[in-house]
C-alpha cells in the first residue's frame, strides 16, 4: 500500500475512536441482558428523579486500591450514579472521595456515620488488613441521608432511590400497627419497624368504639393477635376496608410449644370467622413439609450431652412463590407452626391470589397432639401436595380495599429480651413487601429485593455437579483446539493453492 493511503487510513481510524469516545461520554447507555433487569432503572426511580426540584449531591466515599471483588462494587455504584445524573437532568450530582488520603478526612467521614470495614489484601506476597470505606452521603440543602455501607450484590437502586425519596418527601405516610388484643408490639419487630420507617411513619393504634379508623392510615397491620377481638372492632375494620383501607394480617391459627412438646389450636378470638366472611379460610391444622428447617436437639450419650441438628417438618422452608410484586426477588422464608390459607372465591368482586406455597411434598399434622422429636416421618406424612400459606386480596367494588393474609404469626418477629433473634433479610422483606403493595403507590416495592439472586446447586445431583465443573474447564480448551485445527487446515489449503500457482 502507498504511504499516503496508510496515513489516511490511520487518520480515519483515530478520528472514529475520538468521535466514539465523545459520543459515549455524551450519550451514556448500557445494554442489560440480565434476567431480572438488574442494571435497568425502574419506572419508580425514573419518576422520582424527574420530579426533583432541587439539587441532590451524592458524596461517595470509597477507598482506593480495593481488592478486585470490591472494586467491581465501586464500579457498579459509579455506573448507577451516572444513570441517575443523566435521568435527573442535572438535579443529581456526585463525587468520589478517598477517605484514606489523610487522617482528618477519615475522621470527618466517620463523624458523618460511615465507618470502616476491615478487609484482607495481598501485598508483596503477604496478606495484610486494610481499613476500607464503601458508603455514601446524600445531601439536599440542610437535609442529609446516610448509606453507611454499600454491599456487593446489594440492592443499590433501592438504597439510592429510597434515600432520595426520604430527602424529598414532606410528610411520611402513616402505617398503623393494631394493639389492644395481645398483638406483637413494635419493640418485638425492630427489623421490620426500621425497614418500614424508611418510607412510612409507623405507630401503634388501638381501635376506639367512639371513633372510626382514620383514613389517614395508608395501611394497618394486625400482627399475631392473642386475645378476643370484639365484634364492634370488626365493624370498624369492615368500614375501614369499604372506604379503601388496606390490611396486612399475619396470624397462626395453631400454637406449638417446643418446650412443653405440645401442638394445639389457637383459642377462638373471632378473627378466623371474620376472615371467612371476607372470603379466606385459615386452616386449623399444622403444615408439615419435607423442605424444612432444622432445630437443635440435645441427646445424652453416656456422661455427655451432644447437641445435633435435626430436620423439623413443622418448620417449612418456603421457596415456592407466585410471580407477584409482594414475593418478587424472595429466595426463602421459614414459617414455624404455620397453617394453610385458602381463598374461598365466593365473591366475584374480590380478586384473591395465593402468593406463598409449600413444596409439592407437604402435608398436615392434626391438633391437638404431642411433638415427637425422634419421630420417623414417612412419605404418607407428606402426601397432601402443594399448600397455600398466603393470599393477596383486592376488592373491585366499594372503596377498592386490599388485604394480605399470611398463615404464620412470627416469621417477621425478632422477639424480646433473651428470646430476641436476628432475622434473615427475606423474612423482613416478605412483610415489608406486603405492606408496600398495600400502601405504596410509587413502585419502590420492586427495588428492595433487586440484587444478586441466589442460584444454589443443592438440588442438583452430585454426578451432574461434577459434569458441570469439568465441562467448564474442558469445553473452552476443546473449542480452542477445534479452532486451531480448522485454522491449520485452512492454512494448509492456502499453501497448496500457492504452490500450484493459484493466487486467487
Amino acid at each position: 500500500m502507498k504511504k499516503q493511503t496508510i496515513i489516511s487510513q490511520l487518520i480515519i481510524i483515530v478520528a472514529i475512536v475520538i468521535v466514539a469516545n465523545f459520543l459515549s461520554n455524551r450519550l451514556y447507555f448500557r445494554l442489560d441482558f440480565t434476567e431480572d433487569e438488574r442494571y435497568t432503572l425502574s419506572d419508580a426511580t425514573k419518576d422520582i428523579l424527574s420530579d426533583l426540584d432541587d439539587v441532590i449531591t451524592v458524596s461517595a466515599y470509597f477507598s482506593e486500591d480495593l481488592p478486585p471483588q470490591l472494586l467491581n462494587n465501586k464500579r457498579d455504584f459509579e455506573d448507577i450514579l451516572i444513570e441517575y445524573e443523566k435521568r435527573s437532568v442535572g438535579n443529581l450530582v456526585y463525587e468520589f472521595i478517598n477517605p484514606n488520603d489523610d487522617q482528618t478526612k477519615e475522621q470527618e467521614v466517620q463523624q458523618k456515620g460511615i465507618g470502616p470495614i476491615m478487609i484482607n489484601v495481598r501485598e508483596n506476597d503477604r496478606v495484610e488488613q486494610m481499613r476500607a470505606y464503601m458508603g455514601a452521603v446524600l445531601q439536599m440543602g440542610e437535609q442529609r441521608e446516610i448509606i453507611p455501607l454499600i454491599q456487593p450484590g446489594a440492592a443499590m437502586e433501592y438504597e439510592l432511590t429510597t434515600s432520595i425519596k426520604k430527602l424529598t418527601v414532606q410528610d411520611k405516610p402513616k402505617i398503623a400497627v393494631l394493639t389492644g388484643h395481645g398483638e406483637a408490639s413494635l419493640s418485638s419487630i425492630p427489623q421490620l419497624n426500621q425497614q418500614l420507617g424508611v418510607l412510612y411513619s409507623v405507630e401503634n393504634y388501638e381501635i376506639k368504639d367512639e371513633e372510626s379508623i382514620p383514613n389517614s392510615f395508608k395501611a394497618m397491620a394486625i400482627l399475631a393477635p392473642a386475645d378476643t377481638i370484639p365484634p364492634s372492632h370488626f365493624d370498624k375494620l369492615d368500614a375501614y376496608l369499604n372506604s379503601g383501607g388496606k390490611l396486612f394480617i399475619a396470624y397462626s391459627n395453631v400454637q406449638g410449644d417446643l418446650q412443653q412438646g405440645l401442638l394445639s389450636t389457637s383459642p377462638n378470638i373471632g378473627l378466623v370467622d371474620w376472615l371467612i366472611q371476607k372470603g379466606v379460610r385459615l386452616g386449623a391444622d399444622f403444615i408439615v413439609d419435607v423442605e424444612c428447617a432444622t432445630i437443635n436437639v440435645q441427646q445424652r450419650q453416656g456422661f455427655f450431652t451432644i447437641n445435633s441438628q435435626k430436620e423439623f417438618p413443622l418448620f417449612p422452608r418456603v421457596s415456592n412463590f407466585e410471580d407477584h410484586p409482594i414475593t418478587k426477588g424472595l429466595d426463602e422464608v421459614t414459617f414455624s407452626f404455620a397453617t394453610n390459607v385458602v381463598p374461598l372465591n365466593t365473591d366475584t368482586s374480590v380478586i384473591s391470589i395465593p402468593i406463598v406455597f409449600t413444596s409439592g411434598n407437604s402435608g398436615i399434622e392434626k391438633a391437638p397432639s404431642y411433638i415427637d422429636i425422634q419421630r420417623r416421618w414417612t412419605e404418607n406424612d407428606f402426601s397432601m401436595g402443594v399448600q397455600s400459606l398466603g393470599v393477596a386480596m383486592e376488592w373491585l367494588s366499594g372503596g377498592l380495599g386490599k388485604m394480605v393474609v399470611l398463615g404464620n404469626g412470627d416469621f417477621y418477629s425478632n422477639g424480646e429480651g433473651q428470646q430476641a433473634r436476628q432475622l434473615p433479610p427475606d423474612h423482613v422483606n416478605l412483610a415489608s413487601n406486603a405492606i408496600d403493595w398495600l400502601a405504596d403507590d410509587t413502585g419502590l416495592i420492586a427495588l428492595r429485593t433487586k440484587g444478586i439472586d441466589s442460584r444454589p446447586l443443592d438440588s442438583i445431583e452430585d454426578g451432574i455437579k461434577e459434569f458441570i465443573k469439568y465441562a467448564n474447564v474442558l469445553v473452552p480448551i476443546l473449542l480452542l483446539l477445534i479452532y486451531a485445527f480448522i485454522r491449520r487446515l485452512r492454512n494448509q489449503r492456502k499453501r497448496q493453492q500457492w504452490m500450484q500457482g493459484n493466487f486467487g
Side-chain angles (χ1 to χ4, degrees):
M1 298 177 64
K2 294 182 179 180
K3 183 178 180 180
Q4 291 181 344
T5 304
I6 295 175
I7 293 174
S8 62
Q9 288 186 355
L10 286 174
I11 292 173
I12 292 173
I13 292 172
V14 171
I16 290 173
V17 172
I18 292 173
V19 171
N21 275 280
F22 176 79
L23 291 176
S24 65
N25 277 328
R26 294 288 182 178
L27 304 173
Y28 176 85
F29 69 94
R30 289 190 295 178
L31 298 177
D32 186 358
F33 296 105
T34 57
E35 180 182 357
D36 56 358
E37 297 184 335
R38 187 175 307 141
Y39 302 107
T40 301
L41 295 186
S42 68
D43 291 337
T45 295
K46 294 175 183 178
D47 292 339
I48 290 172
L49 292 174
S50 62
D51 290 338
L52 291 178
D53 54 8
D54 201 351
V55 176
I56 293 178
T57 301
V58 181
S59 299
Y61 295 97
F62 275 80
S63 301
E64 298 292 341
D65 303 322
L66 291 170
Q69 66 271 23
L70 297 181
L71 194 60
N72 289 336
N73 191 41
K74 177 183 177 182
R75 188 177 299 113
D76 287 342
F77 192 63
E78 185 173 10
D79 286 342
I80 197 170
L81 284 176
I82 292 173
E83 292 202 47
Y84 273 55
E85 184 184 47
K86 300 294 184 184
R87 178 64 61 173
S88 69
V89 196
N91 278 331
L92 185 142
V93 295
Y94 69 91
E95 60 177 342
F96 274 79
I97 301 169
N98 178 20
N100 300 85
D101 279 347
D102 58 71
Q103 190 173 0
T104 303
K105 187 179 295 184
E106 198 168 346
Q107 290 176 351
E108 291 177 357
V109 173
Q110 292 181 20
Q111 289 174 357
K112 291 180 179 179
I114 299 176
I117 58 173
M118 303 305 296
I119 60 174
N120 294 326
V121 294
R122 183 174 292 277
E123 190 170 314
N124 298 327
D125 295 329
R126 292 186 306 173
V127 176
E128 299 179 353
Q129 283 200 321
M130 169 186 174
R131 291 163 61 89
Y133 293 85
M134 296 186 297
V137 177
L138 290 77
Q139 188 154 355
M140 186 180 71
E142 298 298 322
Q143 296 176 283
R144 178 182 294 176
E145 286 295 329
I146 313 296
I147 305 178
L149 178 62
I150 300 166
Q151 298 183 4
M156 292 183 182
E157 186 180 351
Y158 175 75
E159 293 280 1
L160 269 175
T161 302
T162 51
S163 296
I164 294 171
K165 181 72 174 176
K166 288 171 68 176
L167 287 174
T168 57
V169 70
Q170 299 297 322
D171 296 311
K172 289 184 178 180
K174 292 182 179 181
I175 300 295
V177 175
L178 190 63
T179 62
H181 317 97
E183 292 89 350
S185 63
L186 283 178
S187 60
S188 69
I189 54 170
Q191 281 182 262
L192 178 59
N193 190 19
Q194 181 182 15
Q195 189 152 290
L196 291 175
V198 173
L199 294 177
Y200 309 103
S201 175
V202 184
E203 58 186 66
N204 287 323
Y205 175 75
E206 186 171 352
I207 296 176
K208 298 178 177 61
D209 289 332
E210 63 272 12
E211 66 180 31
S212 58
I213 298 174
N215 288 330
S216 58
F217 292 132
K218 295 285 286 185
M220 177 178 292
I222 303 177
L223 306 177
D227 301 331
T228 300
I229 303 175
S232 61
H233 290 193
F234 286 121
D235 292 339
K236 301 287 185 183
L237 292 173
D238 284 331
Y240 176 68
L241 273 177
N242 291 334
S243 62
K246 316 294 192 299
L247 286 180
F248 171 67
I249 301 174
Y251 178 69
S252 294
N253 194 29
V254 292
Q255 295 179 342
D257 190 331
L258 281 174
Q259 299 296 327
Q260 301 294 327
L262 295 176
L263 300 176
S264 59
T265 56
S266 296
N268 183 9
I269 62 173
L271 183 60
V272 173
D273 294 335
W274 181 76
L275 285 174
I276 289 177
Q277 296 175 16
K278 299 289 117 184
V280 60
R281 184 180 69 244
L282 268 67
D285 302 312
F286 292 82
I287 292 294
V288 294
D289 200 324
V290 168
E291 300 293 330
C292 60
T294 59
I295 60 172
N296 189 45
V297 177
Q298 292 185 342
Q299 294 177 316
R300 295 278 299 178
Q301 291 191 0
F303 296 102
F304 301 98
T305 300
I306 299 176
N307 292 325
S308 61
Q309 295 295 316
K310 186 174 181 61
E311 291 186 340
F312 193 58
L314 286 157
F315 286 5
R317 280 173 37 230
V318 179
S319 58
N320 186 9
F321 301 107
E322 177 69 15
D323 184 11
H324 191 276
I326 293 176
T327 55
K328 188 175 181 62
L330 297 181
D331 288 325
E332 183 178 284
V333 178
T334 298
F335 282 180
S336 57
F337 301 126
T339 57
N340 59 359
V341 182
V342 181
L344 300 178
N345 296 322
T346 56
D347 188 347
T348 57
S349 66
V350 182
I351 298 177
S352 299
I353 302 175
I355 56 173
V356 182
F357 306 93
T358 64
S359 74
N361 298 313
S362 64
I364 60 173
E365 180 73 5
K366 295 287 185 179
S369 62
Y370 293 95
I371 298 174
D372 181 6
I373 298 296
Q374 303 302 329
R375 174 177 172 178
R376 293 182 178 274
W377 297 85
T378 66
E379 292 184 2
N380 292 332
D381 295 317
F382 309 106
S383 60
M384 299 292 292
V386 176
Q387 299 290 310
S388 169
L389 299 176
V391 173
M393 308 173 68
E394 188 169 2
W395 276 262
L396 302 178
S397 60
L400 299 179
K402 287 183 177 181
M403 186 163 65
V404 176
V405 182
L406 296 175
N408 183 254
D410 67 353
F411 71 91
Y412 54 84
S413 176
N414 298 90
E416 298 184 84
Q418 295 182 348
Q419 302 298 322
R421 54 178 178 162
Q422 183 72 14
L423 296 174
D426 277 351
H427 282 231
V428 183
N429 288 337
L430 175 57
S432 296
N433 286 355
I435 293 174
D436 273 344
W437 180 74
L438 295 169
D440 183 38
D441 54 3
T442 64
L444 290 177
I445 179 176
L447 302 184
R448 183 178 287 115
T449 52
K450 187 178 180 180
I452 303 300
D453 293 329
S454 173
R455 295 289 188 267
L457 295 179
D458 294 343
S459 58
I460 298 179
E461 296 179 1
D462 291 339
I464 298 177
K465 287 183 183 179
E466 289 294 315
F467 174 79
I468 293 174
K469 181 175 70 174
Y470 288 113
N472 283 335
V473 175
L474 298 176
V475 168
I477 298 174
L478 181 62
L479 291 175
L480 284 174
L481 292 174
I482 292 173
Y483 173 76
F485 178 73
I486 294 174
R487 187 178 178 87
R488 182 181 179 185
L489 289 179
R490 291 179 61 186
N491 289 338
Q492 287 179 347
R493 190 179 298 111
K494 286 184 179 181
R495 192 178 297 112
Q496 290 177 356
Q497 291 176 347
W498 291 343
M499 291 177 64
Q500 295 173 1
N502 183 5
F503 302 103

